[in-house]
mmCIF file with all atom_site columns, all heavy atoms in Angstrom:
data_model
loop_
_atom_site.group_PDB
_atom_site.id
_atom_site.type_symbol
_atom_site.label_atom_id
_atom_site.label_alt_id
_atom_site.label_comp_id
_atom_site.label_asym_id
_atom_site.label_entity_id
_atom_site.label_seq_id
_atom_site.pdbx_PDB_ins_code
_atom_site.Cartn_x
_atom_site.Cartn_y
_atom_site.Cartn_z
_atom_site.occupancy
_atom_site.B_iso_or_equiv
_atom_site.pdbx_formal_charge
_atom_site.auth_seq_id
_atom_site.auth_comp_id
_atom_site.auth_asym_id
_atom_site.auth_atom_id
_atom_site.pdbx_PDB_model_num
ATOM 1   N N   . ALA A 1 83 ? 94.075 113.169 120.525 1.00 95.00 ? 83 ALA A N   1
ATOM 2   C CA  . ALA A 1 83 ? 93.561 113.146 119.153 1.00 95.00 ? 83 ALA A CA  1
ATOM 3   C C   . ALA A 1 83 ? 93.423 111.717 118.649 1.00 95.00 ? 83 ALA A C   1
ATOM 4   O O   . ALA A 1 83 ? 92.447 111.382 117.965 1.00 95.00 ? 83 ALA A O   1
ATOM 5   C CB  . ALA A 1 83 ? 94.486 113.941 118.237 1.00 95.00 ? 83 ALA A CB  1
ATOM 6   N N   . ARG A 1 84 ? 94.389 110.863 118.992 1.00 95.00 ? 84 ARG A N   1
ATOM 7   C CA  . ARG A 1 84 ? 94.309 109.460 118.535 1.00 95.00 ? 84 ARG A CA  1
ATOM 8   C C   . ARG A 1 84 ? 93.079 108.782 119.127 1.00 95.00 ? 84 ARG A C   1
ATOM 9   O O   . ARG A 1 84 ? 92.363 108.049 118.428 1.00 95.00 ? 84 ARG A O   1
ATOM 10  C CB  . ARG A 1 84 ? 95.567 108.697 118.907 1.00 95.00 ? 84 ARG A CB  1
ATOM 11  C CG  . ARG A 1 84 ? 95.589 107.263 118.357 1.00 95.00 ? 84 ARG A CG  1
ATOM 12  C CD  . ARG A 1 84 ? 96.945 106.600 118.532 1.00 95.00 ? 84 ARG A CD  1
ATOM 13  N NE  . ARG A 1 84 ? 97.984 107.349 117.824 1.00 95.00 ? 84 ARG A NE  1
ATOM 14  C CZ  . ARG A 1 84 ? 98.233 107.225 116.518 1.00 95.00 ? 84 ARG A CZ  1
ATOM 15  N NH1 . ARG A 1 84 ? 97.525 106.381 115.775 1.00 95.00 ? 84 ARG A NH1 1
ATOM 16  N NH2 . ARG A 1 84 ? 99.183 107.933 115.960 1.00 95.00 ? 84 ARG A NH2 1
ATOM 17  N N   . ASN A 1 85 ? 92.825 109.009 120.411 1.00 95.00 ? 85 ASN A N   1
ATOM 18  C CA  . ASN A 1 85 ? 91.643 108.406 121.032 1.00 95.00 ? 85 ASN A CA  1
ATOM 19  C C   . ASN A 1 85 ? 90.365 108.904 120.365 1.00 95.00 ? 85 ASN A C   1
ATOM 20  O O   . ASN A 1 85 ? 89.443 108.117 120.090 1.00 95.00 ? 85 ASN A O   1
ATOM 21  C CB  . ASN A 1 85 ? 91.619 108.729 122.527 1.00 95.00 ? 85 ASN A CB  1
ATOM 22  C CG  . ASN A 1 85 ? 92.696 107.994 123.297 1.00 95.00 ? 85 ASN A CG  1
ATOM 23  O OD1 . ASN A 1 85 ? 93.145 106.935 122.875 1.00 95.00 ? 85 ASN A OD1 1
ATOM 24  N ND2 . ASN A 1 85 ? 93.122 108.559 124.417 1.00 95.00 ? 85 ASN A ND2 1
ATOM 25  N N   . ASP A 1 86 ? 90.323 110.221 120.085 1.00 96.00 ? 86 ASP A N   1
ATOM 26  C CA  . ASP A 1 86 ? 89.122 110.791 119.465 1.00 96.00 ? 86 ASP A CA  1
ATOM 27  C C   . ASP A 1 86 ? 88.940 110.292 118.033 1.00 96.00 ? 86 ASP A C   1
ATOM 28  O O   . ASP A 1 86 ? 87.835 109.874 117.636 1.00 96.00 ? 86 ASP A O   1
ATOM 29  C CB  . ASP A 1 86 ? 89.214 112.327 119.461 1.00 96.00 ? 86 ASP A CB  1
ATOM 30  C CG  . ASP A 1 86 ? 89.156 112.918 120.869 1.00 96.00 ? 86 ASP A CG  1
ATOM 31  O OD1 . ASP A 1 86 ? 88.741 112.192 121.792 1.00 96.00 ? 86 ASP A OD1 1
ATOM 32  O OD2 . ASP A 1 86 ? 89.545 114.095 121.029 1.00 96.00 ? 86 ASP A OD2 1
ATOM 33  N N   . VAL A 1 87 ? 90.020 110.336 117.259 1.00 95.00 ? 87 VAL A N   1
ATOM 34  C CA  . VAL A 1 87 ? 89.945 109.923 115.856 1.00 95.00 ? 87 VAL A CA  1
ATOM 35  C C   . VAL A 1 87 ? 89.653 108.431 115.746 1.00 95.00 ? 87 VAL A C   1
ATOM 36  O O   . VAL A 1 87 ? 88.895 107.995 114.872 1.00 95.00 ? 87 VAL A O   1
ATOM 37  C CB  . VAL A 1 87 ? 91.261 110.286 115.120 1.00 95.00 ? 87 VAL A CB  1
ATOM 38  C CG1 . VAL A 1 87 ? 91.288 109.664 113.735 1.00 95.00 ? 87 VAL A CG1 1
ATOM 39  C CG2 . VAL A 1 87 ? 91.408 111.799 115.022 1.00 95.00 ? 87 VAL A CG2 1
ATOM 40  N N   . ARG A 1 88 ? 90.253 107.658 116.626 1.00 95.00 ? 88 ARG A N   1
ATOM 41  C CA  . ARG A 1 88 ? 89.994 106.211 116.617 1.00 95.00 ? 88 ARG A CA  1
ATOM 42  C C   . ARG A 1 88 ? 88.514 105.937 116.865 1.00 95.00 ? 88 ARG A C   1
ATOM 43  O O   . ARG A 1 88 ? 87.902 105.106 116.188 1.00 95.00 ? 88 ARG A O   1
ATOM 44  C CB  . ARG A 1 88 ? 90.838 105.527 117.692 1.00 95.00 ? 88 ARG A CB  1
ATOM 45  C CG  . ARG A 1 88 ? 90.647 104.004 117.751 1.00 95.00 ? 88 ARG A CG  1
ATOM 46  C CD  . ARG A 1 88 ? 91.543 103.414 118.820 1.00 95.00 ? 88 ARG A CD  1
ATOM 47  N NE  . ARG A 1 88 ? 91.228 103.971 120.129 1.00 95.00 ? 88 ARG A NE  1
ATOM 48  C CZ  . ARG A 1 88 ? 92.127 104.183 121.079 1.00 95.00 ? 88 ARG A CZ  1
ATOM 49  N NH1 . ARG A 1 88 ? 93.399 103.920 120.882 1.00 95.00 ? 88 ARG A NH1 1
ATOM 50  N NH2 . ARG A 1 88 ? 91.744 104.676 122.250 1.00 95.00 ? 88 ARG A NH2 1
ATOM 51  N N   . ALA A 1 89 ? 87.926 106.633 117.820 1.00 96.00 ? 89 ALA A N   1
ATOM 52  C CA  . ALA A 1 89 ? 86.519 106.399 118.150 1.00 96.00 ? 89 ALA A CA  1
ATOM 53  C C   . ALA A 1 89 ? 85.594 106.752 116.989 1.00 96.00 ? 89 ALA A C   1
ATOM 54  O O   . ALA A 1 89 ? 84.663 106.001 116.670 1.00 96.00 ? 89 ALA A O   1
ATOM 55  C CB  . ALA A 1 89 ? 86.141 107.201 119.395 1.00 96.00 ? 89 ALA A CB  1
ATOM 56  N N   . VAL A 1 90 ? 85.854 107.885 116.348 1.00 96.00 ? 90 VAL A N   1
ATOM 57  C CA  . VAL A 1 90 ? 84.947 108.313 115.277 1.00 96.00 ? 90 VAL A CA  1
ATOM 58  C C   . VAL A 1 90 ? 85.176 107.534 113.982 1.00 96.00 ? 90 VAL A C   1
ATOM 59  O O   . VAL A 1 90 ? 84.318 107.545 113.094 1.00 96.00 ? 90 VAL A O   1
ATOM 60  C CB  . VAL A 1 90 ? 85.081 109.825 114.998 1.00 96.00 ? 90 VAL A CB  1
ATOM 61  C CG1 . VAL A 1 90 ? 84.721 110.623 116.243 1.00 96.00 ? 90 VAL A CG1 1
ATOM 62  C CG2 . VAL A 1 90 ? 86.475 110.184 114.514 1.00 96.00 ? 90 VAL A CG2 1
ATOM 63  N N   . SER A 1 91 ? 86.325 106.858 113.872 1.00 96.00 ? 91 SER A N   1
ATOM 64  C CA  . SER A 1 91 ? 86.620 106.120 112.632 1.00 96.00 ? 91 SER A CA  1
ATOM 65  C C   . SER A 1 91 ? 86.404 104.623 112.767 1.00 96.00 ? 91 SER A C   1
ATOM 66  O O   . SER A 1 91 ? 86.603 103.882 111.798 1.00 96.00 ? 91 SER A O   1
ATOM 67  C CB  . SER A 1 91 ? 88.070 106.378 112.200 1.00 96.00 ? 91 SER A CB  1
ATOM 68  O OG  . SER A 1 91 ? 88.985 105.822 113.143 1.00 96.00 ? 91 SER A OG  1
ATOM 69  N N   . ASP A 1 92 ? 86.005 104.171 113.952 1.00 96.00 ? 92 ASP A N   1
ATOM 70  C CA  . ASP A 1 92 ? 85.843 102.726 114.165 1.00 96.00 ? 92 ASP A CA  1
ATOM 71  C C   . ASP A 1 92 ? 84.936 102.087 113.120 1.00 96.00 ? 92 ASP A C   1
ATOM 72  O O   . ASP A 1 92 ? 85.265 101.042 112.550 1.00 96.00 ? 92 ASP A O   1
ATOM 73  C CB  . ASP A 1 92 ? 85.276 102.457 115.563 1.00 96.00 ? 92 ASP A CB  1
ATOM 74  C CG  . ASP A 1 92 ? 86.354 102.414 116.636 1.00 96.00 ? 92 ASP A CG  1
ATOM 75  O OD1 . ASP A 1 92 ? 87.548 102.438 116.281 1.00 96.00 ? 92 ASP A OD1 1
ATOM 76  O OD2 . ASP A 1 92 ? 86.002 102.363 117.831 1.00 96.00 ? 92 ASP A OD2 1
ATOM 77  N N   . ASP A 1 93 ? 83.791 102.695 112.871 1.00 96.00 ? 93 ASP A N   1
ATOM 78  C CA  . ASP A 1 93 ? 82.822 102.087 111.945 1.00 96.00 ? 93 ASP A CA  1
ATOM 79  C C   . ASP A 1 93 ? 83.415 101.937 110.544 1.00 96.00 ? 93 ASP A C   1
ATOM 80  O O   . ASP A 1 93 ? 83.269 100.872 109.914 1.00 96.00 ? 93 ASP A O   1
ATOM 81  C CB  . ASP A 1 93 ? 81.547 102.928 111.881 1.00 96.00 ? 93 ASP A CB  1
ATOM 82  C CG  . ASP A 1 93 ? 80.716 102.817 113.149 1.00 96.00 ? 93 ASP A CG  1
ATOM 83  O OD1 . ASP A 1 93 ? 80.991 101.898 113.958 1.00 96.00 ? 93 ASP A OD1 1
ATOM 84  O OD2 . ASP A 1 93 ? 79.804 103.647 113.335 1.00 96.00 ? 93 ASP A OD2 1
ATOM 85  N N   . ASP A 1 94 ? 84.073 102.974 110.058 1.00 96.00 ? 94 ASP A N   1
ATOM 86  C CA  . ASP A 1 94 ? 84.635 102.927 108.702 1.00 96.00 ? 94 ASP A CA  1
ATOM 87  C C   . ASP A 1 94 ? 85.773 101.908 108.606 1.00 96.00 ? 94 ASP A C   1
ATOM 88  O O   . ASP A 1 94 ? 85.864 101.151 107.637 1.00 96.00 ? 94 ASP A O   1
ATOM 89  C CB  . ASP A 1 94 ? 85.152 104.306 108.297 1.00 96.00 ? 94 ASP A CB  1
ATOM 90  C CG  . ASP A 1 94 ? 84.019 105.303 108.082 1.00 96.00 ? 94 ASP A CG  1
ATOM 91  O OD1 . ASP A 1 94 ? 82.880 104.854 107.846 1.00 96.00 ? 94 ASP A OD1 1
ATOM 92  O OD2 . ASP A 1 94 ? 84.277 106.516 108.152 1.00 96.00 ? 94 ASP A OD2 1
ATOM 93  N N   . ARG A 1 95 ? 86.656 101.910 109.606 1.00 96.00 ? 95 ARG A N   1
ATOM 94  C CA  . ARG A 1 95 ? 87.791 100.975 109.576 1.00 96.00 ? 95 ARG A CA  1
ATOM 95  C C   . ARG A 1 95 ? 87.324 99.548  109.697 1.00 96.00 ? 95 ARG A C   1
ATOM 96  O O   . ARG A 1 95 ? 87.753 98.653  108.960 1.00 96.00 ? 95 ARG A O   1
ATOM 97  C CB  . ARG A 1 95 ? 88.774 101.302 110.700 1.00 96.00 ? 95 ARG A CB  1
ATOM 98  C CG  . ARG A 1 95 ? 89.494 102.614 110.511 1.00 96.00 ? 95 ARG A CG  1
ATOM 99  C CD  . ARG A 1 95 ? 90.407 103.024 111.648 1.00 96.00 ? 95 ARG A CD  1
ATOM 100 N NE  . ARG A 1 95 ? 90.583 102.032 112.670 1.00 96.00 ? 95 ARG A NE  1
ATOM 101 C CZ  . ARG A 1 95 ? 90.058 102.130 113.910 1.00 96.00 ? 95 ARG A CZ  1
ATOM 102 N NH1 . ARG A 1 95 ? 89.299 103.166 114.235 1.00 96.00 ? 95 ARG A NH1 1
ATOM 103 N NH2 . ARG A 1 95 ? 90.303 101.191 114.799 1.00 96.00 ? 95 ARG A NH2 1
ATOM 104 N N   . PHE A 1 96 ? 86.420 99.315  110.649 1.00 96.00 ? 96 PHE A N   1
ATOM 105 C CA  . PHE A 1 96 ? 85.957 97.954  110.884 1.00 96.00 ? 96 PHE A CA  1
ATOM 106 C C   . PHE A 1 96 ? 85.137 97.414  109.711 1.00 96.00 ? 96 PHE A C   1
ATOM 107 O O   . PHE A 1 96 ? 85.129 96.205  109.452 1.00 96.00 ? 96 PHE A O   1
ATOM 108 C CB  . PHE A 1 96 ? 85.137 97.873  112.171 1.00 96.00 ? 96 PHE A CB  1
ATOM 109 C CG  . PHE A 1 96 ? 85.938 98.120  113.422 1.00 96.00 ? 96 PHE A CG  1
ATOM 110 C CD1 . PHE A 1 96 ? 85.307 98.369  114.626 1.00 96.00 ? 96 PHE A CD1 1
ATOM 111 C CD2 . PHE A 1 96 ? 87.324 98.105  113.396 1.00 96.00 ? 96 PHE A CD2 1
ATOM 112 C CE1 . PHE A 1 96 ? 86.051 98.600  115.779 1.00 96.00 ? 96 PHE A CE1 1
ATOM 113 C CE2 . PHE A 1 96 ? 88.070 98.335  114.533 1.00 96.00 ? 96 PHE A CE2 1
ATOM 114 C CZ  . PHE A 1 96 ? 87.432 98.584  115.734 1.00 96.00 ? 96 PHE A CZ  1
#
Side-chain angles (χ1 to χ4, degrees):
R84 185 170 300 278
N85 289 334
D86 293 344
V87 171
R88 181 179 60 214
V90 299
S91 66
D92 275 352
D93 288 346
D94 291 339
R95 292 176 7 251
F96 293 166

